[in-house]
Amino acid sequence: MPWSSAEEEALIGVSLTANVLSLCGCIVIIGNGVLQPSLRPIFSYQLVACLGAAEAVFAVGCLFGNAGAGHSHDSPPPLCLLQAVMLQFGSLSASFWTAAIAHTLWRTVVHRDTTVGSLARRYHIAIWSVAAFFTLLPLALGTFGDSGLCRCFFVHVSEDETRQYDLYASVRWIFQYIPIWLVLLFELSVYVAIGRSLWGVIALARTLEPGPSHEVVGRLSELIMRLALYPLVNLACASPATLNRIWTLSGAQQSFPLAFLHILAKGLQGALHAAVFLLAHPKRRELNALVEHNCGGLCGLRSAFHEIQDEDEMDPGGVQL
């Protein structure tokens, strides 16, 4: 079912607005590493910076607008294919980087691994190469084009086109939604293990006299709980998209409210990850001062950052994930 002109304008508008916000969030994450060289050696920041880079690829791709307008799904223009490639590569690699964050926390907390920084090269090779493979194969199969959501991604065709419908629906689920939900299930299992291990340590620490070790445990637990927000953001942003595709997979006509929520939630993912970054930042006092110095009173940032208590800051000399 083609969208009305008003519905199409609304879908394009919410996509552009949400992804501009996400791109700004990605700039905040990456820009902090540029402006604060002391952050760059911190492995947790390196992971989040890679997540921000992946989200930026997705956001920039969405800013192309309806790149496939006026073209059939059999002959998408080059800009349409480029947009689809950026959306697929950006969304999958961002999901994989949140899995890397979860895996790093698991190695650190559950297995007391103090050499997690050595995993950086393996993460880069695995994540970028797998995301590239899951992008290039659908491109080679010709399944990128007009997604039915006023942008180019995996082609959306009606169920009447049975042969093409089966191909496009299968490729979309195999190369996009199933990997994302497998990552979410992995992250859920990891955070359950982290929670069990951490609460055991905290319970032991609370039986002892308060001291430096007790303080470190408390601060570490707060940091880990904040970093656990990354998979929660993934869950919140992936659910509307999955629900929308299940709806269309059932043979029902496309629903404008579901499509709107799909685009809004996915578009805001980068902005929400940036918000988590501000909460879980390893050197929050320096970050607060930097944001206030560079942004002034923009959008109430000064008052908002004054509400963040200094005691929530992780000691730069303390545990680094």
Side-chain angles (χ1 to χ4, degrees):
M1 177 187 71
W3 304 114
S4 67
S5 58
E7 289 173 335
E8 184 173 336
E9 289 178 3
L11 292 177
I12 294 175
V14 72
S15 177
L16 293 177
T17 302
N19 283 285
V20 165
L21 291 174
S22 284
L23 185 58
C24 291
C26 297
I27 292 173
V28 168
I29 293 174
I30 298 172
N32 270 275
V34 175
L35 297 175
Q36 295 189 83
S38 60
L39 278 179
R40 299 173 200 167
I42 301 176
F43 189 47
S44 60
Y45 171 75
Q46 294 172 11
L47 295 175
V48 179
C50 290
L51 173 61
E55 294 285 10
V57 172
F58 181 89
V60 171
C62 289
L63 297 183
F64 292 171
N66 193 0
H71 296 266
S72 70
H73 57 73
D74 293 324
S75 56
L79 185 62
C80 176
L81 294 177
L82 176 61
Q83 182 182 47
V85 165
M86 293 180 70
L87 266 58
Q88 171 69 350
F89 183 78
S91 62
L92 273 187
S93 54
S95 180
F96 293 158
W97 278 112
T98 62
I101 291 172
H103 180 254
T104 300
L105 289 170
W106 175 70
R107 291 281 296 265
T108 303
V109 177
V110 178
H111 293 279
R112 308 294 191 267
D113 187 352
T114 59
T115 63
V116 288
S118 63
L119 297 172
R121 184 177 180 182
R122 297 178 187 177
Y123 283 157
H124 281 287
I125 294 174
I127 291 173
W128 300 124
S129 61
V130 172
F133 174 78
F134 274 63
T135 300
L136 295 177
L137 191 53
L139 177 65
L141 292 172
T143 55
F144 285 155
D146 184 3
S147 67
L149 295 174
C150 300
R151 64 187 183 192
C152 293
F153 206 174
F154 288 98
V155 171
H156 173 78
V157 296
S158 67
E159 195 171 6
D160 296 334
E161 305 172 78
T162 306
R163 182 182 62 83
Q164 291 181 318
Y165 178 84
D166 291 341
L167 171 64
Y168 293 139
S170 299
V171 170
R172 179 189 294 119
W173 281 93
I174 293 172
F175 290 94
Q176 170 69 200
Y177 291 106
I178 291 178
I180 287 176
W181 280 98
L182 286 176
V183 166
L184 284 170
L185 290 175
F186 165 75
E187 291 174 345
L188 176 62
S189 65
V190 163
Y191 279 104
V192 168
I194 289 173
R196 288 176 177 175
S197 176
L198 186 61
W199 282 112
V201 173
I202 291 175
L204 178 62
R206 285 174 176 171
T207 64
L208 305 175
E209 288 294 327
S213 60
H214 182 74
E215 183 180 358
V216 168
V217 169
R219 292 185 175 186
L220 178 60
S221 65
E222 290 180 7
L223 177 60
I224 290 172
M225 292 305 105
R226 291 184 181 124
L227 289 177
L229 291 173
Y230 285 113
L232 293 180
V233 167
N234 275 5
L235 178 64
C237 294
S239 295
T242 305
L243 181 60
N244 183 39
R245 289 311 181 187
I246 291 175
W247 176 266
T248 56
L249 191 65
S250 68
Q253 289 186 334
Q254 290 200 88
S255 164
F256 175 74
L258 286 177
F260 188 90
L261 288 175
H262 176 164
I263 293 175
L264 176 64
K266 197 63 180 176
L268 286 175
Q269 184 168 289
L272 294 174
H273 279 149
V276 175
F277 167 72
L278 295 178
L279 288 173
H281 199 282
K283 293 190 177 181
R284 293 176 63 196
R285 183 178 295 171
E286 293 181 20
L287 173 65
N288 297 347
L290 183 70
V291 171
E292 290 192 1
H293 175 74
N294 288 281
C295 301
L298 181 64
C299 300
L301 281 174
R302 293 184 66 91
S303 59
F305 275 89
H306 275 305
E307 294 177 1
I308 300 178
Q309 301 298 318
D310 285 317
E311 56 265 25
D312 288 339
E313 175 200 2
M314 278 295 295
D315 186 352
V319 180
Q320 297 178 358
L321 301 183

